[in-house]
Amino acid sequence: MNFKNKIASVREHLVNIGVDENLSPFEVRKVRLVNGILLTGEILFLVIIIKSMIMQVPEEWSVQLVGALLFPIPILLNKLKKYHAARLLCLLIPFFYLSSLTLYWGSERGSQLIIFACSGLAVLFFDRTVYVYLLIALGGLCIITVEMYNFDHESFYQTEQLKLAYVINIMITIILLAVISAIFRKENEKYQKSIQKKNNQITYQHSQLLRLHNDLKESVRLIKEQTKYAQTIQQSILPLKEEMREMMPDHFLFFKPRDLVSGDFYFVTKIRERVFIAAVDCTGHGVPGAFMSMIGYNLLLEAIELNFIFEPAKILDYLQQRIVYALRQQQTDNRDGMDISICVIDREQQVLEYAGAKHPLLLIENGEMRKIEADRVSIGGMLTRPDHKFRNHKFELSKISDFYMFTDGFRDQYGGGDFKRFMSKRFRELLFNNHHMRTSDQKRVIEHTFSEWCGRNEQTDDVLIIGVKL
């Protein structure tokens, strides 16, 4: 590194005193301007002291030394991150120092001219117009004050070299203005380059974000298309409304998936005089739940229509074995499964049979609501017990007016004024208070209640309710 580079390196280090990486480029420019101007002032003090020695004016040394000691104060404030105070003192110190100097030397030396040059720095240092006007006014006030005072009073110190000093101070003023202009131009170029660099980075990042946005938009479109197709497939396996009405003339179905495809599904089929109804809640919702629903639906068909298993408890036993086997849950960490309630309306025997895996059954019997507890065991999943035998429940049709099968989506929905779950007790009251109505009216009440309870809150789970009036 040659001498010129060393000088440039030292200057750059001094000018960057107080520069913080968290500052914006605009603020960095101001800090560097303050440091650069004050360092220029220090150099001028050195020149003036040398001039005083050459001109044999030793009385000037002490005065110039005071200025040389005052000027580094704003640089120290920059180092302490007191940027606003540093910029303010960068103007106030020259104002009051040069005013005092003019009173001491007299107006003939032209020190007040440097105040005029310094007052223009307010435009560079402050953004607020009121600060700029006040500081320029203060500089003008300092010049007017010392001129008016010196008009009626003699200066404290007289020297024979006043004319030469006046010329030299004019030259110093011109040099100071030129140096400030050069510093500002250089800092402005750095600022513009920094802004341009950031603009280029922003442009590049914007193009990257735009590309990612387009890729994401395309991915979302494909996912929606595929999910819509999956919804079509899932809906195609569910019983048609006409088929359900034929098997259960007086019923309602409230089925509201959280997503396009659902982890909840309903199953209805008829073999001879028996109508089989199931309300099933598979692990998860959306696409994962839909996969499990396909497995569960096929296994129900397999148990009832292929293996002729008609007792609800034995159907659940069969599902338990087949799910554990199909998902290899005894050999892997897979814990997917389903909670299910299944009923069989046997018109020949005039009985209603029920079995449940964690999903209870609600009956309206002799005008009272009765809750039939399910077995606290899931089909597959974490709470499965492969050797568990499900209980079967039988009821006389003549004593039952209505029954309800459901998953847990409605009762677990968050909403209301306090953002709480709907809960089982409120859900049972809702069904019981409206069981005397026609099933179509019951469905409308349930739909309205769910909508009012959710409000603007998101639906938390798939919802399925089947109500049958016998």
Side-chain angles (χ1 to χ4, degrees):
M1 182 181 293
N2 56 35
F3 181 74
K4 183 178 179 181
N5 290 338
K6 286 184 178 179
I7 293 296
S9 177
V10 171
R11 178 191 174 282
E12 192 68 17
H13 174 73
L14 293 174
V15 169
N16 280 321
I17 290 175
V19 172
D20 190 277
E21 61 181 8
N22 295 322
L23 290 176
S24 67
F26 190 60
E27 291 298 317
V28 168
R29 183 179 66 161
K30 291 180 181 179
V31 173
R32 287 173 57 86
L33 275 173
V34 169
N35 293 340
I37 290 169
L38 292 172
L39 289 171
T40 302
E42 287 294 299
I43 294 172
L44 287 176
F45 276 121
L46 179 61
V47 171
I48 294 171
I49 290 172
I50 294 173
K51 178 209 74 170
S52 300
M53 295 175 63
I54 294 173
M55 296 178 63
Q56 298 180 357
V57 188
E59 293 83 358
E60 289 189 356
W61 294 3
S62 59
V63 176
Q64 305 300 342
L65 183 61
V66 171
L69 293 174
L70 288 174
F71 269 48
I73 292 176
I75 298 178
L76 178 62
L77 289 174
N78 273 338
K79 186 176 180 63
L80 297 174
K81 310 294 190 268
K82 307 292 184 182
Y83 303 117
H84 192 273
R87 291 196 289 270
L88 195 59
L89 284 182
C90 184
L91 296 179
L92 294 181
I93 288 175
F95 285 178
F96 295 117
Y97 173 74
L98 293 170
S99 297
S100 302
L101 205 61
T102 303
L103 293 174
Y104 183 68
W105 297 122
S107 300
E108 291 82 358
R109 285 193 66 135
S111 298
Q112 70 276 22
L113 296 175
I114 306 177
I115 298 177
F116 174 74
C118 292
S119 62
L121 295 175
V123 178
L124 305 179
F125 290 165
F126 296 98
D127 302 324
R128 295 182 63 179
T129 307
V130 64
Y131 284 173
V132 175
Y133 288 159
L134 285 174
L135 288 168
I136 291 176
L138 180 61
L141 183 63
C142 289
I143 295 174
I144 293 171
T145 302
V146 297
E147 287 293 339
M148 291 180 64
Y149 181 86
N150 286 339
F151 184 77
D152 296 325
H153 299 81
E154 292 186 0
S155 59
F156 293 104
Y157 178 74
Q158 298 287 338
T159 179
E160 296 179 358
Q161 292 87 357
L162 284 178
K163 292 183 179 180
L164 180 60
Y166 183 75
V167 173
I168 291 174
N169 281 337
I170 290 177
M171 293 177 62
I172 290 173
T173 302
I174 294 172
I175 292 170
L176 180 61
L177 289 172
V179 169
I180 291 172
S181 176
I183 291 173
F184 177 74
R185 186 175 64 253
K186 187 174 182 180
E187 292 300 323
N188 193 54
E189 288 175 357
K190 285 188 176 182
Y191 175 70
Q192 292 297 335
K193 288 180 180 178
S194 173
I195 293 297
Q196 185 61 44
K197 183 179 179 181
K198 288 189 177 294
N199 285 340
N200 292 339
Q201 290 175 347
I202 291 171
T203 301
Y204 174 75
Q205 291 171 355
H206 178 264
S207 64
Q208 291 294 101
L209 286 173
L210 187 61
R211 183 180 63 82
L212 290 173
H213 171 74
N214 291 333
D215 291 345
L216 183 60
K217 189 176 180 180
E218 178 63 17
S219 298
V220 170
R221 185 187 67 81
L222 291 173
I223 290 171
K224 282 186 176 179
E225 285 183 358
Q226 293 169 3
T227 307
K228 190 72 177 176
Y229 186 64
Q231 181 190 37
T232 303
I233 295 174
Q234 186 181 45
Q235 288 179 343
S236 68
I237 69 170
L238 297 176
L240 298 175
K241 291 181 179 179
E242 293 76 12
E243 295 174 340
M244 293 182 65
R245 195 174 297 115
E246 183 180 341
M247 291 182 279
M248 301 179 296
D250 198 1
H251 80 282
F252 74 84
L253 171 70
F254 179 55
F255 181 47
K256 190 174 179 62
R258 198 195 78 164
D259 305 304
L260 285 175
V261 289
S262 173
D264 287 10
F265 72 93
Y266 53 94
F267 175 93
V268 181
T269 189
K270 183 176 181 180
I271 297 180
R272 294 191 288 273
E273 294 300 316
R274 295 184 177 91
V275 178
F276 298 81
I277 313 163
V280 190
D281 181 3
C282 297
T283 304
H285 38 72
V287 175
F291 275 113
M292 278 301 299
S293 73
M294 298 291 287
I295 295 173
Y297 195 92
N298 287 326
L299 290 179
L300 280 169
L301 283 176
E302 183 181 295
I304 298 169
E305 297 189 359
L306 294 181
N307 292 294
F308 303 106
I309 303 174
F310 297 155
E311 184 180 299
K314 291 183 178 179
I315 293 173
L316 295 187
D317 291 338
Y318 181 82
L319 291 179
Q320 183 75 283
Q321 295 174 1
R322 295 289 289 128
I323 285 287
V324 171
Y325 175 78
L327 300 180
R328 299 183 179 179
Q329 293 188 336
Q330 292 183 329
Q331 292 84 32
T332 67
D333 293 331
N334 182 281
R335 291 296 179 266
D336 294 316
M338 62 184 72
D339 299 333
I340 177 174
S341 59
I342 183 166
C343 287
V344 178
I345 303 174
D346 189 339
R347 296 291 183 181
E348 185 177 351
Q349 300 294 327
Q350 285 296 298
V351 295
L352 172 70
E353 295 187 70
Y354 156 78
K358 296 187 71 177
H359 279 173
L361 175 70
L362 295 180
L363 299 175
I364 305 298
E365 188 175 26
N366 298 324
E368 299 292 334
M369 176 170 278
R370 181 180 172 191
K371 179 182 177 183
I372 312 302
E373 295 289 352
D375 291 36
R376 302 301 297 170
V377 178
S378 295
I379 302 296
M382 296 183 64
L383 299 179
T384 187
R385 291 185 352 225
D387 58 341
H388 178 78
K389 296 299 181 184
F390 287 90
R391 294 173 297 159
N392 202 63
H393 304 267
K394 280 188 179 184
F395 313 95
E396 295 181 19
L397 286 179
S398 59
K399 296 181 180 180
I400 300 171
S401 61
D402 307 81
F403 68 89
Y404 300 93
M405 306 168 68
F406 47 87
T407 59
D408 57 7
F410 198 115
R411 72 179 188 223
D412 289 343
Q413 176 63 42
Y414 283 90
D418 299 327
F419 193 67
K420 294 181 179 179
R421 292 196 302 171
F422 196 82
M423 302 302 290
S424 297
K425 182 181 178 182
R426 189 183 286 113
F427 178 65
R428 292 196 300 270
E429 289 174 352
L430 172 67
L431 296 178
F432 180 71
N433 291 339
N434 297 282
H435 80 275
H436 60 279
M437 301 170 65
R438 293 183 303 175
T439 51
S440 58
D441 294 333
Q442 290 185 53
K443 181 180 179 180
R444 276 194 291 272
V445 171
I446 289 172
E447 286 177 337
H448 177 74
T449 303
F450 187 77
S451 177
E452 287 291 313
W453 182 259
C454 285
R456 295 185 178 181
N457 302 309
E458 290 186 359
Q459 184 175 335
T460 54
D461 198 359
D462 303 316
V463 177
L464 171 61
I465 305 172
I466 302 172
V468 180
K469 192 175 284 288
L470 297 171

